[in-house]
Amino acid sequence: MDSGEPVQTCREFAFDATRHQSQLRIIATSDLHHHILPFDYLTGRADASVGLAAAAVRIRALRGKVRNALLFDNGDFLQGTPLSDTVAARAADDGRIHPFIAAMNAAGYDAGTLGNHEFNFGLDFLLRSLRGAAFPIVCCNVARVDGGPLCPPFVVLDRRIVMADGAHEPIRIGVIGFAPPQISQWDSVTLGGAVVTTEIVAAARRHLPALRAAGADLVVALCHSGFGPAEPAPAMENAAVSLAALGGIDAVLAGHTHQVFPGQGPWDPAVDPENGTICGVPAVMPGANGSHLGVIDLHLDRSASGWAVTGHCVCLDGPGDADPPRAVIRTDPAISRMGTALHAQVVREQRQTVGQTAQAIHSHFARLRADRSLQLVADAQCAAARPIIAALGLGHLPVLSAVAPFNCGGQTGRQGAVSIPPGPISRRNLDELYPFPNGLSILRLRMAAVADWLERSASQFRTLRADDPDQPLFDPDFPPYCADTLFGLDYRIDPTLPPRFSAAGDVIARSNRRVGPELIAGLPADPAQEVIVLTNSFRASGGGGYHAAKAGRILHSTTEPLRDLIAAHLGRGTIEMAAPAAGWSFAPAPGVTAVFDAAGAAAAHLDQLPDRRLSVAGRPAPGTVRLRLHL
Ligand code: MN
Ligand code: MG
């Protein structure tokens, strides 16, 4: 980033000369997703808001302004760019330190924790990668089934605090890590039952007293989990607020949902964005990919009875200008070096042509209809599954292909979209279409479960009213990667009716129905009718709140990434997708309108929604357009 960019730091503390006082700055990264260089591999362009090498320059500035600072990472670092998949595909053990771990070593982390994506490439790969870390990585609620070591639940860091008067005092900082307990389910195909998880709050109840007993003066929770509600519930994915509610924690680093905090919610009432606290505990969420750094400054008092936190200030350090000329993006040379060779290899591979498309493929409206960006993936799933289904002797069953848009706006603040013009399709285009390393899963289930599957997807929309023309269309907590379209069915969704599921996937009311049986055409409505559903390994295990998927039986799973199956489907030939299969449409709701934000380029395609009108409602931020959908 530009060196002239002002760093938004916390206010300076005042110190009482009659007391023994100081401060401690906690700097947090989260969800770096294997971004080393300031480069967006989905667009193929430099981006100052991305990567540890650029963030490290800002980290150094933040450290330089205070007496005492610690740097923590909150998980999801081993997966997320084509670099990560290239490293994972290497020979079993070449003895080299994982390049992202090497970059983190160079950044000088004091400790880190595991995110769910650390488990994407299997347990052996994770264990091998962790061995290279020069800093402790802790996690208290994931364990190996075989009893072997994964990582310690917590660590106590012995440090010296420089006091306001220049004296040095020893301090013991307890660092404990938490990950979403769904890990064992989401990566069940790759993990094969090798790890067990405990719920976050239950694990905290067990380990926090032990951490205090181990002599920790302060406790920092590295919580790879979003905020969620204060009230604990079973199997919480986002449990940071209910963790803070337990007490006994001095700072919470949250993440996983790729949100930023302090920032706009909606949040639970226990969240205070003005003071940067959850249940009164200082907390941050630093976005994703290095977009933001979380900063928690603690005001400390040292007395005969020990250390006490007597004040705090929480803020975010943002990237500033997201799109400066590449020459002005400053990076840390030692960290950049860890990514340079891989970067060159990946960019070279991304340029390879894997096929041709006769029509433009974009995903601006992939949540409003079955578009070509989804159809290409659905068709590739069908092509890969057909011989497997035939070999299983199940060729008589109807086949449905479920696809969600992965690159279609999102929770990161980045309004990305697939954008492939007519002509050659490159490997980078496949990364745009399918950034995750999931394989294909083939499920056998009944139409009753399919109906529930459709209701889960239909819950992405808010309940729309005729008297609110600028109501948001989407539930802001429902991520695009949970918005499945089922190819092979023709159905209508009525978002003026209440949803069956909350954004988190909990049942609101089983009787709530936005996709009525009369709205599904093309298949017998008999709930007992068996069908085959093609999806990814994450969804097949119920990921994204799709309990319906768990009602089925997984007939087959591939470890080959779906991205490679798309390349095989293209087979270097030309695909024609003149008119995407009807798929689904909104039930007519005359007079009802709702708005959503899309990448700015979407405004050039407003005539492409065949049965609904779209109009521009505003431009809320650079590169973003707000569109009004007329239902
Ligand atoms: Mn993440
Ligand atoms: Mg995560």
Side-chain angles (χ1 to χ4, degrees), residues 14 87 168 298 388 415 455 461 511 561 584:
V87 177
H168 289 227
L298 298 178
I388 301 167
Q415 292 293 341
E455 289 296 341
F461 305 107
S511 57
W584 70 274

Side-chain angles (χ1 to χ4, degrees), residues 69-86:
L70 294 171
L71 175 63
F72 297 114
D73 182 74
N74 209 33
D76 272 7
F77 49 84
L78 281 185
Q79 178 278 336
T81 62
L83 277 70
S84 64
D85 303 6
T86 301

Side-chain angles (χ1 to χ4, degrees), residues 6 22 32 40 52 70 125-126 211 274 290 314 330 332 376 379 392 434 593 609 615:
S22 190
L32 289 171
D40 182 338
L52 184 56
L70 294 171
F125 178 80
L126 173 58
L211 178 52
E274 296 298 313
V314 181
R330 291 181 56 223
D332 180 295
L376 177 54
D379 290 350
L392 291 167
Y434 217 107
T593 61
L609 215 58
S615 56

Side-chain angles (χ1 to χ4, degrees), residues 31 33 74-76 115-117 180 186 224-225 237 255-258:
D31 299 271
H33 284 289
N74 209 33
D76 272 7
N116 49 301
H117 284 287
W186 291 335
H224 187 85
S225 180
E237 177 180 344
H256 180 57
T257 51
H258 295 194

Side-chain angles (χ1 to χ4, degrees), residues 73-74 112-114 137-142 151-155 174-179 200 203-204 207 211 220-224 243:
D73 182 74
N74 209 33
T113 193
L114 302 175
I137 294 178
V138 294
C139 179
C140 77
N141 67 326
V142 185
C151 61
F154 53 74
V155 67
V175 184
I176 184 164
F178 302 91
I200 289 172
H207 289 285
L211 178 52
V220 178
L222 309 183
C223 183
H224 187 85
L243 174 67

Side-chain angles (χ1 to χ4, degrees), residues 101-191:
I101 299 276
M104 293 176 89
N105 288 345
Y109 280 93
D110 289 282
T113 193
L114 302 175
N116 49 301
H117 284 287
E118 267 61 81
F119 294 84
N120 286 167
F121 304 110
L123 185 60
D124 288 346
F125 178 80
L126 173 58
L127 293 171
R128 215 158 56 230
S129 303
L130 294 183
R131 276 204 294 272
F135 54 96
I137 294 178
V138 294
C139 179
C140 77
N141 67 326
V142 185
R144 282 168 63 175
V145 162
D146 64 9
L150 175 58
C151 61
F154 53 74
V155 67
V156 179
L157 304 173
D158 280 298
R159 295 288 189 271
R160 297 189 82 77
I161 292 284
V162 181
M163 305 303 288
D165 62 7
H168 289 227
E169 291 284 356
I171 191 167
R172 308 195 78 206
I173 294 152
V175 184
I176 184 164
F178 302 91
Q182 286 79 4
I183 283 169
S184 50
Q185 170 205 333
W186 291 335
D187 271 313
S188 56
V189 171
T190 20
L191 291 172

